[in-house]
Amino acid sequence: MAKCDFCDKGVVFGIAVSHSHRRSNRTWKPNVKRVKVIMDGAPKHAYACTRCLRSGKVTRAV
């Protein structure tokens, strides 16, 4: 679910390193919102990251 429908930004995997240098797996999730947008001339719900919302890639439906 944590995937932008416009730029395909998704979950990124990596390793968290503690102060004692113990390593464990972790994930970074994008800031994705469910918004009502105009797609193909019709309003519908889609998931968009906040960067796409700010930059104007997404046209919001009111």
Side-chain angles (χ1 to χ4, degrees):
M1 187 228 102
K3 185 161 191 151
C4 179
D5 291 332
F6 299 95
C7 67
D8 290 331
K9 183 187 287 186
V11 177
V12 178
F13 298 96
I15 294 176
V17 181
S18 71
H19 181 70
S20 63
H21 210 71
R22 290 179 63 92
R23 295 154 60 94
S24 60
N25 295 331
R26 67 155 294 181
T27 59
W28 285 269
K29 294 180 183 170
N31 191 2
V32 174
K33 305 291 183 189
R34 184 172 184 257
V35 292
K36 198 172 181 183
V37 298
I38 302 285
M39 287 179 79
D40 303 325
K44 62 186 278 189
H45 286 284
Y47 291 101
C49 67
T50 53
R51 173 145 319 198
C52 288
L53 290 172
R54 277 200 325 248
S55 66
K57 269 189 185 178
V58 180
T59 53
R60 300 280 298 259
V62 178

